[in-house]
Amino acid sequence: MKHSKLKYFAEFDANAISYDYSAHIECLKNPQKPQYGGGIIINPELNQGLKGWSTFGHGKVEHRESGGNKFIVFHNRNRPHDSVSQKLYLQKDKLYTFSAWIQVSEGNVPVRAVFKTISGYKHAGAIVAESKCWSMLKGGLTVDASGPAELYFESNNTSVEIWIDSISLQPFTEEQWRSHQDDNIENMRKRKLIIQAVDEGGNPLVNAKISIEQKRPGFPFGTAINKNILNNNAYQNWFISRFTVTTFEDEMKWYSTEYTQGKENYSVPDAMLQFAKQHNIAVRGHNVVWDDPHYQPSWVPSLSPTQLGQAVQKRLVSVMSRYKGKVIGWDVVNENMHFSFFESKLGNNTSAKIYKVAHKVDGRATLFLNEYNTIEHSGGSSASPAKYLRKLREIRSYPGNSGLPLGIGLEAHFSTPNLPYMRASIDTLAATGFPIWITELDVDKQSSQEQQAQYLEQILREAESHPKVQGIVMWAAWKPGGCYRMCLTDNNFKNLPTGDVVDKLLHEWGFKSKASGTTDSSGFFETSLFHGDYEVKITHPVLVNSTFIHNFKVMPPNEPKEKTLLLQVSA
């Protein structure tokens, strides 16, 4: 068997996607044009006065113009929902992507977009609107029943005027939505490959047999594990036969490694890391500290501020220096948009300071802000995309933090998924340019295992197909007494319906895929492969050793239009 020379070339191809993934996170002097020309919204740019728009609740609506830009202003508001509205007809089998540009008369004020439907109120998203500039609210919704609906905007701050412009509501059929996903997976997760087999003289090998096998997928996909895996061969075999990345459920957390103050014990996470390394499984560091007061080591709450500051510093250096270079990223201050234990004890800038120290300890690691209800909940939660962006800016604006390698960690603990909102929220966060991971994906128990599996498949497809998502970790670590919210197997490691969904999608997404064929008259063989590590075998009668084996990688192109990879194999 002989080694070969490998040459890589590139061709260019165009790619068009009908869904608009763009989002603006800057506050602009003038709003942009409405996406999709406004979709089904009447008079979306307000160029026809108040046509199509009316009052919702109490207050006054007026049409204004500034610098050639026309917009709606609603003032004299007494209740949060007092605003302008438009009546629409929404269909149950459609997915609606929504956007609008919002401004308020003073301050920084959360504003929500709401649809009153025949089966209840549906939130489409929220923004922290500012005065003197326009902010883009991007969201989406589905409805439980077809019928009339009314769009309006609300804010708990009734003293401000709400200004609205460039509104868009674009429906997509389920088939169109699925086509967005399939097209993205084909275009973003795969690459066309042309192999040319030539002999030592550069002459093409005609009718050579080509056999290609994936050795490792390129897209990180996995699930959490816990210490139960260390001594359970069935658990190990089930896990390592499917996944390439993991997160430890509890074993790396502070309350696990320093149960008693001053007595650190890393034996369990050490063993789990050794297991992961042995099987080439990447590990996310979870977590350095957790801002939830209920999940501190039992001895921490009673510490004085000085003692707590010292303990946090010791924890940071201890865990991060120990696992430096052994994890692919860190959840640094876990869930510090929902909770503020350390801030309440040590001051408002505590999180930013912790991220700064974390970068000093492990300068090459991505430092994640890990949160829930950012893509799951459309009602303007404390971790909404707009507030998430503000927290990122707050961390980076702290002296010395401007260049921090931050990452966006989206826990994705779903009940009933709102896919248009999920997609739009990721669009908004993607505008930062920071890497985005789905970090703890699960689906709460439903009326049946089949419905839970159905929702899981919908969410996984949406996550895998979003062009800016760089990895997915499910939160389904197995325990004999049951998983956190979602199991993939029973206690004999036989797949549950959720596990069957995972295997189905792994197969669809090219896990351990194979391709074969013969070269043409010019020695070429063409196929399309998911990103990953591959082995190719080339067999031809004229070759001295009959078969050549080459290992190669299929990587995302350096340029968006660079689609085709040409691999020339020279004997």
Side-chain angles (χ1 to χ4, degrees), residues 351-389:
S351 291
K353 293 177 182 177
I354 291 175
Y355 276 87
K356 184 175 183 177
V357 174
H359 183 53
K360 287 182 179 179
V361 177
D362 190 351
R364 301 183 66 180
T366 303
L367 308 177
F368 282 87
L369 177 63
N370 195 48
E371 271 297 350
Y372 64 92
N373 278 352
T374 304
I375 60 174
E376 305 100 306
H377 180 66
S378 59
S381 76
S382 56
S384 68
K387 293 180 180 179
Y388 197 112
L389 293 171

Side-chain angles (χ1 to χ4, degrees), residues 290-332:
W290 195 349
D291 234 346
D292 190 335
H294 297 101
Y295 293 102
Q296 304 303 323
S298 60
W299 51 270
V300 163
S302 62
L303 297 179
S304 69
T306 299
Q307 292 170 330
L308 179 61
Q310 293 170 345
V312 169
Q313 175 76 15
K314 181 174 177 287
R315 162 64 178 174
L316 279 165
V317 174
S318 175
V319 69
M320 293 189 71
S321 61
R322 186 180 191 91
Y323 298 131
K324 180 179 179 180
K326 298 178 181 179
V327 297
I328 58 174
W330 290 99
D331 295 330
V332 180

Side-chain angles (χ1 to χ4, degrees), residues 120-163:
Y121 293 87
K122 293 283 187 176
H123 288 83
I127 191 69
V128 179
E130 301 181 33
S131 60
K132 301 179 182 178
C133 60
W134 293 88
S135 299
M136 182 185 188
L137 186 164
K138 190 174 188 185
L141 76 156
T142 58
V143 292
D144 300 322
S146 299
E150 192 165 6
L151 160 68
Y152 67 95
F153 300 85
E154 66 177 19
S155 174
N156 292 337
N157 186 337
T158 58
S159 66
V160 299
E161 299 177 350
I162 299 177
W163 302 9

Side-chain angles (χ1 to χ4, degrees), residues 44 68 164 270 279 285 357 446 467:
I164 304 159
D270 282 353
H279 297 286
V357 174
Q446 301 292 323

Side-chain angles (χ1 to χ4, degrees), residues 88-353:
L88 304 148
Y89 187 92
L90 303 183
Q91 296 174 270
K92 180 181 179 181
D93 59 349
K94 297 288 176 64
L95 298 96
Y96 294 89
T97 184
F98 175 81
S99 63
W101 287 79
I102 312 293
Q103 186 174 165
V104 290
S105 54
E106 59 182 4
N108 301 309
V109 179
V111 177
R112 298 175 292 275
V114 187
F115 286 79
K116 182 181 179 181
T117 74
I118 60 173
S119 54
Y121 293 87
K122 293 283 187 176
H123 288 83
I127 191 69
V128 179
E130 301 181 33
S131 60
K132 301 179 182 178
C133 60
W134 293 88
S135 299
M136 182 185 188
L137 186 164
K138 190 174 188 185
L141 76 156
T142 58
V143 292
D144 300 322
S146 299
E150 192 165 6
L151 160 68
Y152 67 95
F153 300 85
E154 66 177 19
S155 174
N156 292 337
N157 186 337
T158 58
S159 66
V160 299
E161 299 177 350
I162 299 177
W163 302 9
I164 304 159
D165 199 359
S166 293
I167 309 98
S168 173
L169 184 67
Q170 177 62 45
F172 292 98
T173 65
E174 293 175 358
E175 292 76 16
Q176 289 170 330
W177 200 263
R178 177 64 180 272
S179 75
H180 301 156
Q181 296 171 339
D182 292 345
D183 289 348
N184 269 9
I185 290 173
E186 184 70 26
N187 287 292
M188 304 300 297
R189 308 297 184 201
K190 297 180 73 175
R191 197 168 179 187
K192 182 179 175 183
L193 173 73
I194 299 175
I195 290 178
Q196 184 182 34
V198 298
D199 62 20
E200 291 181 339
N203 303 305
L205 293 175
V206 181
N207 292 325
K209 292 183 178 179
I210 305 291
S211 176
I212 300 173
E213 182 179 358
Q214 187 189 79
K215 294 300 182 180
R216 182 179 174 84
F219 183 83
F221 181 69
T223 187
I225 58 172
N226 55 42
K227 61 186 179 183
N228 290 295
I229 204 168
L230 292 175
N231 300 303
N232 190 317
N233 289 334
Y235 188 3
Q236 291 179 9
N237 293 334
W238 179 86
F239 176 81
I240 64 177
S241 65
R242 290 166 171 81
F243 304 119
T244 60
V245 64
T246 192
T247 304
F248 300 166
E249 188 176 37
D250 293 308
E251 289 76 5
M252 203 178 281
K253 292 171 182 172
W254 195 3
Y255 59 67
S256 296
T257 62
E258 195 177 0
Y259 182 79
T260 301
Q261 186 176 12
K263 294 182 179 180
E264 294 180 332
N265 185 346
Y266 286 101
S267 59
V268 174
D270 282 353
M272 292 173 69
L273 264 171
Q274 182 60 33
F275 164 78
K277 181 180 178 182
Q278 180 183 352
H279 297 286
N280 199 22
I281 306 293
V283 177
R284 298 189 70 255
H286 178 80
N287 52 56
V288 180
V289 292
W290 195 349
D291 234 346
D292 190 335
H294 297 101
Y295 293 102
Q296 304 303 323
S298 60
W299 51 270
V300 163
S302 62
L303 297 179
S304 69
T306 299
Q307 292 170 330
L308 179 61
Q310 293 170 345
V312 169
Q313 175 76 15
K314 181 174 177 287
R315 162 64 178 174
L316 279 165
V317 174
S318 175
V319 69
M320 293 189 71
S321 61
R322 186 180 191 91
Y323 298 131
K324 180 179 179 180
K326 298 178 181 179
V327 297
I328 58 174
W330 290 99
D331 295 330
V332 180
V333 186
N334 200 48
E335 298 175 351
N336 75 319
M337 296 180 66
H338 280 90
F339 307 104
S340 56
F341 173 78
F342 296 105
E343 290 81 359
S344 68
K345 303 280 187 179
L346 302 175
N348 291 334
N349 290 326
T350 298
S351 291
K353 293 177 182 177

